[in-house]
Amino acid sequence: MLNLINLKNELRKMDSLSELNDLSVFINECKTMLGKSTLCVGSKVNVVQKTKKTPGVITKMKVKKAIVDMNGMSYNVPLAMLELA
């Protein structure tokens, strides 16, 4: 937890928007790689949006996205937006 606090403090010191954008891309790539290694067909997941989390089940895995069944509808969702339920 202490490392996370230190990391956040260091990020606040950054003054270049391009560096922050590069960091954002890197973080999304890390989230995608972690999603690939932890998620599989049949996994119960939450689709995380800015203001809500919607439960669903993965029906198909793709390279960077997954087909998720939510409330009877299927959606193509980026792996970075999924977390295990």
Side-chain angles (χ1 to χ4, degrees):
M1 188 66 174
L2 186 58
N3 289 335
L4 183 59
I5 293 170
N6 290 338
L7 181 60
K8 286 180 180 180
N9 288 333
E10 290 299 318
L11 290 174
R12 284 190 185 101
K13 293 177 187 176
M14 294 177 77
D15 59 357
S16 169
L17 188 57
S18 65
E19 287 179 348
L20 285 173
N21 286 335
D22 289 343
L23 184 61
S24 177
V25 168
F26 175 74
I27 289 172
N28 280 333
E29 288 172 356
C30 289
K31 289 164 67 175
T32 299
M33 287 189 305
L34 185 61
K36 283 181 184 180
S37 65
T38 59
L39 300 173
C40 62
V41 173
S43 295
K44 293 182 180 181
V45 295
N46 286 322
V47 178
V48 180
Q49 296 170 309
K50 287 185 179 183
T51 59
K52 65 180 178 178
K53 291 183 181 182
T54 307
V57 177
I58 296 176
T59 58
K60 182 178 180 181
M61 292 291 293
K62 296 183 177 183
V63 175
K64 290 190 176 190
K65 296 183 179 185
I67 305 283
V68 181
D69 182 41
M70 296 182 293
N71 302 322
M73 296 287 294
S74 293
Y75 297 94
N76 204 16
V77 182
L79 295 177
M81 291 180 61
L82 299 176
E83 65 180 23
L84 286 172

